[in-house]
Amino acid sequence: MRHEDSESSELRYGLHAVRAALEQPATQIISLWVDQSRKDRAIQEIVELALEQGLDFYSVDREDLDNLVPGVRHQGIVAYCSAQPTFTEEGLFDLLDNLNAPPLLLILDGVQDPHNLGACLRTAEAAGVHGVIAPKDRAVGLTAAVRKVASGAAERVPFVRVTNLARLMRKLHEQGLWLVGTVAKGGGSLYETDLKGPLGLVLGAEDRGLRRLTSEHCDCLVQIPMQGSVGSLNVSVAAGVCLFEVQRQRGFALA
């Protein structure tokens, strides 16, 4: 079982990630490989969706998949896809100009762990975030591991990687967004901060938090009130707490 390595192609694995790729028009699946021992409904639904789109799939041994994507939980399915078009800075501002609701962006300053980025994307979609922004340097991008953890959100939430995060934050501020940074200590209470207007929520990396320059470009800094002796929360957990406080303040209704 072979595939060509190319900057224009990538592997996806996991039930949600592969299904999202099939459902995303911008993503072209080149090959689909399925563990022949899996006969459950989740796999069969994906196979049926692939057949509806005229795609061929290959029934293979689990060991073949283990060799193709070693050391991961592929859940019995792997897809070889054309790379999804990158969402650009220009596209982000076009998106903001056409929203019918106050913008809500999640800005991640140097998150390097794929599982954390995937969890942040999944939470972002659930909280109605319009886009997730991250720097290109010293931060993880949309890897196969990120897409699996994101459970399809990586295909549905615009993700923008920028060369200069501080410059983009200035441009967002000029567009009328209020930039709220999160810190472990020294900020105001998250729950006493008005989060209802156009907002960019800024979270730092797993180990060091916000970089100095990023912090300086925030309009205000907040912290999550906590009890006990834990100094800080995992970035994906903190993102969930903050984003759903935004949702609460904005009075988002149940779908």
Side-chain angles (χ1 to χ4, degrees):
M1 187 167 54
R2 301 170 55 190
H3 67 86
E4 297 179 1
D5 291 322
S6 168
E7 291 182 358
S8 63
S9 58
E10 57 193 17
L11 290 173
R12 311 275 181 91
Y13 57 82
L15 295 170
H16 293 294
V18 172
R19 181 165 192 139
L22 282 165
E23 294 174 343
Q24 178 59 251
T27 305
Q28 179 184 357
I29 292 184
I30 301 167
S31 303
L32 183 67
W33 301 307
V34 179
D35 178 356
Q36 61 186 358
S37 68
R38 294 265 321 240
K39 305 297 182 183
D40 52 278
R41 183 168 181 78
I43 286 283
Q44 292 307 311
E45 287 180 350
I46 293 175
V47 169
E48 290 171 8
L49 186 58
L51 292 174
E52 288 174 6
Q53 297 181 15
L55 298 174
D56 292 328
F57 73 95
Y58 303 96
S59 294
V60 298
D61 293 332
R62 181 180 180 85
E63 290 74 15
D64 291 326
L65 299 181
D66 292 341
N67 292 330
L68 185 63
V69 284
V72 304
R73 293 184 64 241
H74 49 68
Q75 297 178 302
I77 191 161
V78 177
Y80 179 45
C81 308
S82 60
Q84 191 171 350
T86 303
F87 204 90
T88 65
E89 218 176 289
E90 181 181 354
L92 174 66
F93 284 98
D94 287 342
L95 183 152
L96 295 177
D97 288 340
N98 290 283
L99 290 177
N100 296 318
L104 174 58
L105 300 177
L106 177 62
I107 302 171
L108 301 173
D109 183 22
V111 172
Q112 297 181 341
D113 184 278
H115 291 82
N116 280 339
L117 177 57
C120 284
L121 287 165
R122 186 172 181 175
T123 300
E125 185 187 27
V129 168
H130 298 111
V132 177
I133 300 165
K136 290 182 179 178
D137 294 333
R138 299 179 183 178
V140 67
L142 291 182
T143 65
V146 170
R147 293 183 186 278
K148 181 177 184 296
V149 175
S151 296
E155 283 70 35
R156 294 187 289 266
V157 177
F159 179 73
V160 185
R161 301 187 76 190
V162 298
T163 303
N164 190 320
L165 186 59
R167 181 179 63 195
L168 179 67
M169 291 175 69
R170 287 196 298 271
K171 291 173 67 175
L172 291 172
H173 184 80
E174 292 168 359
Q175 287 280 109
L177 272 75
W178 186 251
L179 302 178
V180 176
T182 60
V183 292
K185 295 181 180 179
S189 170
L190 170 72
Y191 304 119
E192 296 175 359
T193 303
D194 187 351
L195 305 171
K196 294 187 288 293
L199 181 70
L201 181 66
V202 190
L203 281 81
E206 296 91 345
D207 53 350
R208 65 180 184 272
L210 296 178
R211 291 176 294 174
R212 178 187 58 81
L213 190 58
T214 304
S215 178
E216 290 175 354
H217 280 79
C218 292
D219 293 297
C220 72
L221 299 175
V222 301
Q223 65 187 67
I224 300 170
M226 296 191 297
Q227 299 182 17
S229 57
V230 174
S232 63
L233 298 174
N234 173 282
V235 62
S236 62
V237 174
V241 172
C242 294
L243 289 171
F244 280 95
E245 172 60 14
V246 176
Q247 188 186 68
R248 185 193 68 81
Q249 290 192 21
R250 293 184 176 189
F252 287 4
L254 291 174

